[in-house]
Amino acid sequence: VKTNRKRIELVNCGRGSEGASMLDVANVQHKEHLGKPVSAIRRTEHRYLIYMDGKTFSGGLLPMTPTGAILLIHPTEFVTLHTRAVMSTGYYAEFSAGKDMCQNISAVLQLMNDDEEGTAKKAAALLEWATAELSMRSVERYMLNMLNAYAKLQRFDVKRSSTLQEVRWSLIRKNVMRH
């Protein structure tokens, strides 16, 4: 099995088995939708997006976040930069991937459908957060802060060689403009 067995169960939630009517694939994106992953553009057509880890972790949450959809996320032991950030906002719905996963997801969806105004506010807040916090400028700021924090942990002095040239943005721009 190339993926988490729970993902296979998730796909079956929308098929003709016990979960036949649990997930409406017109509203909920998962791999049952045409049997293939959905493109980033097509994700924006869905009201809900389900995020589930693979065998270890997945980077799939990042492109799902700025779509305007509500994310359904199960608790995970594999925390990435993006899962931690998104989960810290509270702008998502949590489901249990344990026993009766299809019913758990169905119950979460029913709660959100019953509270359309609250669900819409949560989706709008997530989109606003993603637009601000996942911008290239924010990623650059995060990386700079992480590199500076890492540099403070170093226990040696950097000795600059006279033959090396420090890389600066002006040099990068000059190099890019050549091509």
Side-chain angles (χ1 to χ4, degrees):
V1 176
K2 289 172 67 177
T3 190
N4 180 337
R5 291 188 187 280
K6 286 293 181 180
R7 279 185 169 187
I8 295 168
E9 186 180 334
L10 174 64
V11 169
N12 289 330
C13 287
R15 288 198 174 144
S17 63
E18 63 165 286
S21 62
M22 290 193 190
L23 297 182
D24 173 8
V25 293
N27 273 338
V28 182
Q29 180 270 321
H30 67 307
K31 291 191 180 196
E32 164 64 15
H33 189 80
L34 304 176
K36 297 178 184 170
V38 177
S39 73
I41 299 294
R42 295 281 317 273
R43 283 187 180 128
T44 63
E45 299 171 4
H46 297 281
R47 186 173 183 185
Y48 306 108
L49 299 175
I50 298 174
Y51 170 75
M52 182 175 276
D53 292 327
K55 278 190 170 180
T56 56
F57 72 94
S58 170
L61 185 63
L62 179 61
M64 291 180 171
T65 306
T67 60
I70 285 288
L71 302 176
L72 279 74
I73 303 174
H74 72 97
T76 177
E77 61 185 293
F78 306 110
V79 180
T80 66
L81 167 67
H82 304 107
T83 55
R84 183 177 329 171
V86 170
M87 292 175 92
S88 72
T89 67
Y91 302 138
Y92 68 96
E94 191 170 295
F95 70 93
S96 169
K99 188 177 181 217
D100 302 322
M101 179 177 62
C102 295
Q103 289 86 353
N104 293 335
I105 293 171
S106 182
V108 170
L109 290 172
Q110 187 61 52
L111 286 171
M112 290 189 297
N113 285 332
D114 290 346
D115 180 20
E116 286 192 29
E117 186 178 328
T119 300
K121 284 181 182 176
K122 190 180 278 193
L126 178 63
L127 181 58
E128 184 177 325
W129 175 85
T131 302
E133 297 301 321
L134 299 179
S135 69
M136 212 45 217
R137 179 63 64 202
S138 293
V139 172
E140 289 170 1
R141 190 175 34 236
Y142 172 80
M143 294 301 292
L144 185 62
N145 289 337
M146 290 302 293
L147 289 170
N148 284 331
Y150 180 69
K152 290 176 185 174
L153 297 173
Q154 299 303 307
R155 305 260 186 251
F156 61 90
D157 291 325
V158 176
K159 294 180 181 145
R160 294 180 187 239
S161 168
S162 60
T163 60
L164 295 178
Q165 186 177 11
E166 185 176 335
V167 176
R168 296 182 182 273
W169 282 115
S170 59
L171 290 173
I172 294 171
R173 279 190 212 106
K174 221 187 280 184
N175 190 36
V176 169
M177 297 303 281
R178 279 189 328 183
H179 299 285

